[in-house]
Amino acid sequence: MATPSGTRGIDVSHWQGNINWSKVSSNVKFAYIKATESTTYTDPQFNDNYIGAYKQGIIRGAYHFALPNKSSGAAQANYFVKNGGGWSSDGKTLPPLLDMEYNPYGNTCYGLSDSQMVSWVKSFVNRMKKLTGRPPAIYTTTDWWKTCTGNSSKFSSSPLFIARYNSTVGTLPNGWNFQTFWQYSDSDNPPNYPGDQDVFNGSAKQLQQLAKGSKSKPKPKLGMKKRVRIGRSGWNQYTKLFGPGDFNSDKKADLLAVKQSDTSLRFYAGTGNAAQGGGHKKRVRLSKKGWTKFSHFVPVGDFNGDGKNDFLVVKKHGGSLWLYAGTGRAGAKANGYKPRVQLSKKGWNKFSEFVPVGDYNGDGKNDFLVVKRDDGSLWFYAGTGRAGKRAKGYKPRVRLSKTGWNKFSQIEGVGDFNSDGKNDFVVVMKSTGALWFYAGTGKAGPKAKGYKKRVRLGKSGWDQYSKLLGVGNYGGNRHPDLIARKKDGSLWFYAGIGNSGQR
């Protein structure tokens, strides 16, 4: 498994034996070290590990393995602090860590009900705050937290240390919008990487801020690498530009464009190496004329359930909605789409923005958002996975927000941009040119708006772009990327790194 982005670390106990911290220090910046368990056990290697890491300049912290069926949370907090679980604001000591996980000795939830477990954790956390001056971090898995606390949201003041052995962090426990630490692998690789493999969700400087207990939160990450120019000029000849995903079945993301001068539809096959300044092959004309009669192009992915990527269009005259079903074959000898099918006769020109967001409600079907022109309200259309002559492809719309969405000059779906398994979108503020990020929740409908509180990624300057495009994995880096067209006609590529909006 590839190492996730962030600052690398480990967590260890006596099971790793004698650790060569000199070698470890060349590879990691932090370590969590087991100190105690319940109120009767101290790890025999704790002192050697804690001092050894410190001498090599590794920021380290202690963790306590909880046994909630043995004694109260407060009693175990007392024992933990007396045996190494303290904290000081020296910039070298991480907040104490409470390890809450599956019971290795019996019942998964230690025989406690959800409410009893929440009370136990509260007792531990409150006692640690009184003893050390700060809340402890909490290590857990989403499954255990849901199973044993009822997915409590009461502990968001504690930094989250999530355990998930996968390429993404997945869904986080309730109450946390981002993880501070992520244990992504349990592969023990001595001498350089003993124990479990972890990453801190931020830079080494931010890790030190956490250790110091700084009240100032690290700035949210942009979630993208430095931009790369992939087109010098001429891209403003296109009145419409959008990313349909893989449109020719070569497993690379592509571009489609409508040329203003001759109203033709052009296809740019992606190469998968945009980060090197390329990104697309020589353009191919798919259709000679007629494409400027559409006001909106909506790349909705596979909208009819046949495994090929499709797109919707809105006709300027009358506001009818049409589907172009993709064929998976696009190039010099194939236009890439089937004859268009009308899904709705009128009314779609009342929307100023169409936002393709993929599967936004977690049902496995692709959806889209719209902004109503007259009042700036945000609406959700859930896809059905069946679209064509006998099926319009979407359910009745649901209003997610009453007003305010017309203050954005652009709204663009960007896929899972923060690697939590949910699809997200970005917006550009008209008044400031700031870029904001809305993380999706995976739940959208009458009782769920589908997004978290927005996070600012860039203070200004994003209004220099006349068009932002969510293009999927355009750079071959496994993460969704962003393409931006400047007003001078140049085209720029922002490689996603899978942690947008996280701290």
Side-chain angles (χ1 to χ4, degrees):
M1 183 186 300
T3 303
S5 60
T7 303
R8 194 161 184 177
I10 56 174
D11 59 272
V12 298
S13 70
H14 71 280
W15 291 110
Q16 278 67 55
N18 293 317
I19 296 173
N20 186 334
W21 288 102
S22 177
K23 287 192 175 181
V24 172
S25 65
S26 300
N27 303 286
V28 306
K29 297 295 184 182
F30 73 91
Y32 265 110
I33 298 161
K34 184 173 183 179
T36 54
E37 184 173 316
S38 187
T39 57
T40 57
Y41 178 84
T42 56
D43 191 290
Q45 287 292 122
F46 174 72
N47 286 334
D48 288 345
N49 284 335
Y50 203 68
I51 294 171
Y54 176 83
K55 287 183 175 180
Q56 296 301 323
I58 297 172
I59 298 175
R60 80 284 187 254
Y63 77 86
H64 173 79
F65 190 91
L67 294 182
N69 60 330
K70 297 296 184 181
S71 55
S72 70
Q76 294 194 30
N78 287 335
Y79 185 77
F80 180 35
V81 172
K82 287 179 181 178
N83 292 279
W87 173 77
S88 62
S89 58
D90 58 2
K92 301 175 183 179
T93 308
L94 292 171
L97 176 65
L98 171 62
D99 185 347
M100 300 295 301
E101 58 177 289
Y102 309 98
N103 183 2
Y105 311 116
N107 180 277
T108 296
C109 298
Y110 302 88
L112 274 63
S113 67
D114 292 354
S115 60
Q116 289 172 329
M117 186 64 75
V118 170
S119 295
W120 192 96
V121 176
K122 184 178 180 181
S123 174
F124 185 98
V125 169
N126 287 345
R127 185 59 179 163
M128 289 298 295
K129 286 171 68 176
K130 186 173 183 179
L131 293 172
T132 68
R134 69 181 306 177
I138 295 177
Y139 169 98
T140 193
T141 68
T142 299
D143 178 71
W144 187 91
W145 194 259
K146 286 182 176 179
T147 302
C148 298
T149 74
N151 208 16
S152 173
S153 61
K154 294 183 178 180
F155 301 99
S156 58
S157 63
S158 289
L160 175 64
F161 197 139
I162 194 71
R164 186 172 192 255
Y165 307 145
N166 203 293
S167 58
T168 67
V169 295
T171 302
L172 298 179
N174 206 5
W176 286 287
N177 293 326
F178 60 90
Q179 81 285 358
T180 300
F181 297 96
W182 172 17
Q183 185 185 90
Y184 66 91
S185 173
D186 61 353
S187 60
D188 188 2
N189 297 306
N192 296 325
Y193 301 100
D196 298 318
Q197 308 304 302
D198 311 319
V199 289
F200 168 71
N201 189 8
S203 66
K205 183 178 179 180
Q206 290 170 325
L207 177 70
Q208 192 170 51
Q209 285 180 329
L210 177 70
K212 287 181 177 179
S214 171
K215 292 183 179 179
S216 60
K217 295 181 179 179
K219 292 181 180 179
K221 292 182 180 179
L222 179 60
M224 294 175 277
K225 296 182 180 179
K226 186 178 179 180
R227 69 182 185 183
V228 175
R229 188 168 57 187
I230 57 175
R232 289 187 175 274
S233 62
W235 288 86
N236 50 8
Q237 69 182 298
Y238 298 118
T239 182
K240 300 295 179 184
L241 184 63
F242 60 101
D246 178 12
F247 205 58
N248 62 353
S249 301
D250 67 352
K251 298 183 179 180
K252 299 181 176 65
D254 309 312
L255 296 177
L256 290 173
V258 175
K259 195 174 181 181
Q260 177 67 36
S261 60
D262 62 4
T263 73
S264 62
L265 181 67
R266 305 295 177 121
F267 173 64
Y268 287 89
T271 63
N273 65 351
Q276 282 71 51
H280 52 81
K281 300 178 182 178
K282 185 177 180 181
R283 71 183 183 187
V284 174
R285 187 172 64 185
L286 301 184
S287 177
K288 290 183 178 180
K289 61 181 181 178
W291 291 86
T292 54
K293 64 188 173 190
F294 302 118
S295 60
H296 292 89
F297 290 75
V298 193
V300 286
D302 179 14
F303 203 60
N304 61 359
D306 67 353
K308 310 295 191 303
N309 286 335
D310 315 312
F311 62 92
L312 305 177
V313 296
V314 177
K315 233 177 177 182
K316 290 178 181 177
H317 180 69
S320 54
L321 182 71
W322 299 76
L323 167 73
Y324 280 96
T327 63
R329 300 181 304 278
K333 297 182 179 181
N335 64 11
Y337 54 85
K338 299 176 184 178
R340 72 176 187 239
V341 175
Q342 190 179 61
L343 301 182
S344 179
K345 290 183 178 181
K346 62 180 180 179
W348 293 85
N349 49 7
K350 65 187 173 189
F351 301 119
S352 59
E353 294 283 346
F354 289 75
V355 189
V357 285
D359 177 14
Y360 200 60
N361 61 355
D363 68 353
K365 312 296 191 305
N366 286 338
D367 315 309
F368 61 96
L369 306 176
V370 295
V371 176
K372 210 171 177 189
R373 194 182 303 275
D374 59 356
D375 62 4
S377 55
L378 182 70
W379 298 77
F380 170 64
Y381 281 95
T384 64
R386 300 181 306 278
K389 292 181 179 180
R390 298 183 179 180
K392 61 183 181 180
Y394 54 87
K395 299 177 183 179
R397 74 182 187 215
V398 175
R399 189 171 62 184
L400 302 182
S401 179
K402 290 183 178 181
T403 188
W405 292 85
N406 48 8
K407 65 187 174 188
F408 303 120
S409 60
Q410 297 193 60
I411 307 176
E412 187 66 22
V414 288
D416 180 14
F417 217 54
N418 61 356
S419 300
D420 68 350
K422 313 296 190 307
N423 287 337
D424 316 309
F425 60 93
V426 296
V427 300
V428 177
M429 188 75 73
K430 287 180 181 178
S431 59
T432 63
L435 181 71
W436 295 81
F437 173 71
Y438 283 92
T441 64
K443 299 184 290 288
K447 297 183 179 181
K449 62 183 180 180
Y451 53 87
K452 299 177 183 177
K453 185 178 179 180
R454 73 183 186 216
V455 175
R456 189 173 64 185
L457 301 184
K459 287 185 178 181
S460 61
W462 289 85
D463 51 357
Q464 69 181 298
Y465 299 115
S466 61
K467 179 63 179 174
L468 295 182
L469 305 172
V471 288
N473 180 18
Y474 198 71
N477 62 352
R478 299 180 294 110
H479 298 297
D481 307 312
L482 193 66
I483 285 178
R485 181 181 64 187
K486 286 185 78 171
K487 293 175 182 178
D488 65 3
S490 58
L491 199 66
W492 298 81
F493 171 71
Y494 287 91
I497 56 178
N499 61 359
S500 188
Q502 300 173 4
R503 300 183 193 277

